[in-house]
Amino acid sequence: MARRGNSIIKGIEISEIIEVLNKAYADEWLAYYQYFIEAKVIKGIMKDAAIAELTQHAADELRHADMVANRILQLGGTPLLHPQEWFTHSNCGYAEPKDFDVVSILEDSIKGEQCAISIYSKLAEMTRNKDIVTYDIVSEILADEVEHEEDLQALHDDITEFVADIKQQIN
Ligand SMILES: [Fe+2]
Ligand SMILES: [Fe+2]
């Protein structure tokens, strides 16, 4: 635990920060696995572009889990030790891919990113001017999640436009 480092935290309970970070930590692991498995099962048009994007996102979510775990430890907490706790602590849950079509997979993922953006913007607000280090970490992750949403939405729109063009040419 970083004693002096933690003494600069003002106006918020450290236990509360650890609790919300552990919930975000659960989200990151579930997001990681969701992207990992989506990249494996995805089917349909332009799936290679989607696989590249999903694989990159999986790596980013795992990196986020690492960042959050390190901050929990600095604060004197313990990151969740059992995967079962990911489900009981998660804010955003897990969207099991049911329809493997590229558009449906991208839509599930966009919803996940939108949830992550809401959670990290709340964490940024909660820690601003109180816990500078956590604030910096959650802000950095928030910027990544915003980029993730944008990347997925752009790909989704490209694919749906492409499909619409083909349908028009056939008719
Ligand atoms: Fe993330
Ligand atoms: Fe993300």
Side-chain angles (χ1 to χ4, degrees), residues 12-36:
I12 186 167
E13 289 297 323
I14 290 181
S15 59
E16 193 189 344
I17 306 168
I18 292 169
E19 201 183 309
V20 294
L21 287 179
N22 251 326
K23 288 167 79 67
Y25 180 66
D27 289 331
E28 294 294 356
W29 270 107
L30 292 175
Y32 163 73
Y33 189 70
Q34 196 173 325
Y35 281 124
F36 173 91

Side-chain angles (χ1 to χ4, degrees), residues 35 61 113 145 148:
Y35 281 124
E61 310 307 4
E113 292 298 341
E145 310 300 13
H148 284 174

Side-chain angles (χ1 to χ4, degrees), residues 24 27-29 31-32 35 57 60-65 68 113 116 120 141-142 144-145 148:
D27 289 331
E28 294 294 356
W29 270 107
Y32 163 73
Y35 281 124
H57 287 203
D60 288 343
E61 310 307 4
L62 197 56
R63 185 170 49 80
H64 295 162
V68 174
E113 292 298 341
Y120 282 109
I141 297 176
L142 175 60
D144 287 344
E145 310 300 13
H148 284 174

Side-chain angles (χ1 to χ4, degrees), residues 8 17 29 60 63 81 91 99 101 103 105 110 131 145-146 150 159 170:
I8 59 170
I17 306 168
W29 270 107
D60 288 343
R63 185 170 49 80
L81 297 173
N91 301 290
D99 179 347
D101 180 70
V103 172
I105 293 262
I110 290 166
D131 174 354
E145 310 300 13
V146 168
E150 167 63 20
I159 293 172
I170 294 169

